[in-house]
């Protein structure tokens, strides 16, 4: 495996930069020597995610709703559009905000990139594949999405964002890239955001029953956040348009994940089965052939190691 492609950026704008993945992106870009402007309205992102970065040279935090404006004064050479509620709990609570971030927010971020002649990266999602009839999913698969279901506000916002990004590149020659992120986990996730890993870890550490939906046989593919960030930056540096899947092809059932978390935490928690959400995908697994071949990227952190790191972070947070 070759080393993932890199590039030296001078100034990167990260929308949604105080979110889970966004904050890790900001830190990685600063580590690579770039100045970073983080734009976030804190509707789901948290100030504490980026507070350690405020003392670092080159970091600027701007509070703004990207659907309304992008008040960035210094022209960037990289724009990463990551602003959007991303967990079921958030996008079901903020349906219109989610759709505006994917439409108006994407438009504003594209306009910033176009005016500065910057590289643009759209954070899309494996949710564009919906409840897939193909497994694993490769980038040629068009998906199986309910356009009026409860999850549609997120799924269709991302699908529209992809279409807008593609049209912008075709019409204006904007240097764009679409990355489709699969289930990512790690430190800085919120315990009540509705996603499986933080929910299970929070419940196990509290000694509560782990709530597995349905029969627990639905699968996800979990990518540790450091690997996801490396894949995003490799795609940004490559110059490819994408879309390109960034995720871990190691598939695990939700029941097995719950059991693994119980074992790694040493918890005495039981497993409780609850009703499965509407339109919950039965399978989710990326085909990462394109990322391997074009970017020289693949995940390096296995599920057990990544979960150990995540559990350690949640434990430390609980001690604060």
């Amino acid at each position: 495996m070759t080393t993932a492609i890199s590039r030296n950026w001078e100034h990167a704008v990260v929308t949604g930069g105080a979110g889970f993945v966004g904050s890790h992106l900001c830190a990685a870009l600063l580590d690579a020597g770039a100045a970073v402007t983080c734009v976030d309205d804190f509707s789901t992102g948290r100030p504490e995610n980026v507070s350690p970065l405020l003392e670092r040279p080159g970091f600027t935090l701007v509070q703004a709703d990207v659907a309304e404006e992008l008040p960035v004064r210094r022209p960037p050479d990289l724009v990463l559009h990551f602003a959007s509620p991303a967990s079921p709990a958030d996008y079901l609570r903020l349906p219109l905000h989610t759709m505006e971030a994917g439409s108006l927010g994407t438009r504003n971020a594209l306009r910033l990139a176009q005016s500065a002649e910057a590289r643009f990266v759209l954070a899309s999602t494996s949710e564009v594949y919906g409840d897939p009839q193909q497994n694993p999913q490769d980038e040629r698969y068009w998906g199986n999405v309910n356009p009026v279901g409860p999850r549609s506000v997120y799924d269709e916002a991302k699908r529209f964002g992809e279409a807008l990004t593609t049209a912008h590149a075709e019409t204006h020659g904007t240097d764009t890239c679409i990355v489709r992120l699969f289930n990512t986990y790690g430190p800085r996730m919120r315990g009540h955001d509705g996603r499986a890993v933080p929910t299970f870890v929070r419940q196990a550490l509290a000694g509560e029953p782990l709530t597995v939906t349905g029969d627990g046989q639905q699968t996800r593919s979990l990518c540790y956040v450091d690997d996801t960030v490396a894949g995003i930056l490799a795609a940004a540096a490559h110059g490819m348009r994408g879309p390109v899947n960034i995720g871990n092809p190691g598939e695990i059932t939700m029941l097995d994940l719950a059991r693994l978390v119980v074992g790694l935490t040493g918890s005495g928690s039981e497993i409780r089965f609850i009703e499965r959400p509407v339109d919950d995908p039965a399978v989710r697994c990326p085909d990462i052939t394109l990322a391997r071949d074009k970017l020289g990227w693949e995940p390096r952190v296995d599920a057990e190691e990544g979960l150990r790191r995540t559990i350690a972070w949640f434990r430390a947070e609980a001690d604060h």
Side-chain angles (χ1 to χ4, degrees):
M1 175 56 57
T2 57
T3 302
I5 298 162
S6 62
R7 190 191 295 186
N8 294 324
W9 305 103
E10 292 187 8
H11 176 216
V13 171
V14 183
T15 73
F20 163 50
V21 176
S23 62
H24 285 275
L25 260 178
C26 288
L29 286 160
L30 287 169
D31 290 344
V36 175
T37 298
C38 166
V39 183
D40 205 295
D41 67 356
F42 300 117
S43 57
T44 58
R46 300 191 299 175
E48 53 264 40
N49 285 345
V50 291
S51 57
L53 306 180
L54 292 172
E55 304 300 321
R56 296 187 60 172
F59 182 75
T60 303
L61 177 60
V62 176
Q63 184 171 355
D65 181 349
V66 297
E68 296 179 1
E69 60 175 344
L70 259 176
V72 177
R73 294 179 180 176
R74 178 183 172 187
D77 55 355
L78 176 64
V79 177
L80 298 135
H81 182 42
F82 278 68
S84 174
S87 72
D90 289 332
Y91 60 69
L92 293 176
R93 176 175 58 89
L94 299 166
L96 296 179
H97 190 64
T98 301
M99 300 204 78
E100 288 167 356
S103 54
L104 298 172
T106 303
R107 180 201 63 183
N108 291 342
L110 280 163
R111 285 178 174 176
L112 174 63
Q114 179 194 358
S115 65
E117 297 184 348
R119 176 78 163 150
F120 175 86
V121 179
L122 174 71
S124 188
T125 171
S126 61
E127 296 303 314
V128 300
Y129 299 124
D131 188 6
Q133 297 173 338
Q134 169 185 307
N135 197 49
Q137 298 86 56
D138 66 34
E139 294 85 355
R140 296 167 297 180
Y141 178 54
W142 291 357
N144 177 38
V145 176
N146 179 356
V148 294
R151 302 170 67 98
S152 65
V153 295
Y154 183 63
D155 300 356
E156 297 293 10
K158 290 298 188 181
R159 287 163 70 94
F160 177 85
E162 288 198 11
L164 182 58
T165 298
T166 302
H168 221 273
E170 294 289 345
T171 303
H172 297 297
T174 313
D175 182 13
T176 66
C177 177
I178 298 167
V179 290
R180 289 178 179 161
L181 308 184
F182 280 67
N183 302 88
T184 300
Y185 70 100
R188 300 184 202 145
M189 297 191 89
R190 291 173 294 132
H192 290 274
D193 80 357
R195 287 181 276 199
V197 169
T199 299
F200 290 164
V201 171
R202 172 181 58 80
Q203 291 170 333
L205 292 178
E208 302 171 358
L210 273 66
T211 49
V212 174
T213 63
D215 61 4
Q217 294 308 303
Q218 64 273 30
T219 68
R220 298 294 183 266
S221 300
L222 304 176
C223 193
Y224 189 66
V225 65
D226 290 357
D227 285 331
T228 295
V229 166
I232 294 163
L233 294 179
H238 182 273
M240 72 184 326
R241 270 202 198 177
V244 58
N245 289 337
I246 301 295
N248 192 322
E251 205 170 0
I252 186 171
T253 70
M254 291 299 91
L255 181 56
D256 285 343
L257 175 62
R259 289 169 173 162
L260 180 57
V261 168
V262 168
L264 292 174
T265 56
S267 172
S269 294
E270 300 177 349
I271 292 173
R272 177 185 299 164
F273 294 94
I274 62 174
E275 186 177 357
R276 190 169 163 192
V278 175
D279 295 336
D280 184 47
V283 293
R284 181 70 84 233
C285 182
D287 182 328
I288 63 168
T289 302
L290 182 61
R292 281 192 176 116
D293 291 350
K294 298 294 185 182
L295 306 179
W297 174 88
E298 63 180 1
R300 301 179 181 276
V301 180
D302 64 29
E304 186 166 325
E305 173 59 25
L307 286 169
R308 287 186 189 280
R309 297 181 193 178
T310 305
I311 290 164
W313 182 84
F314 270 89
R315 277 203 169 109
E317 284 292 291
D319 291 340
H320 287 168

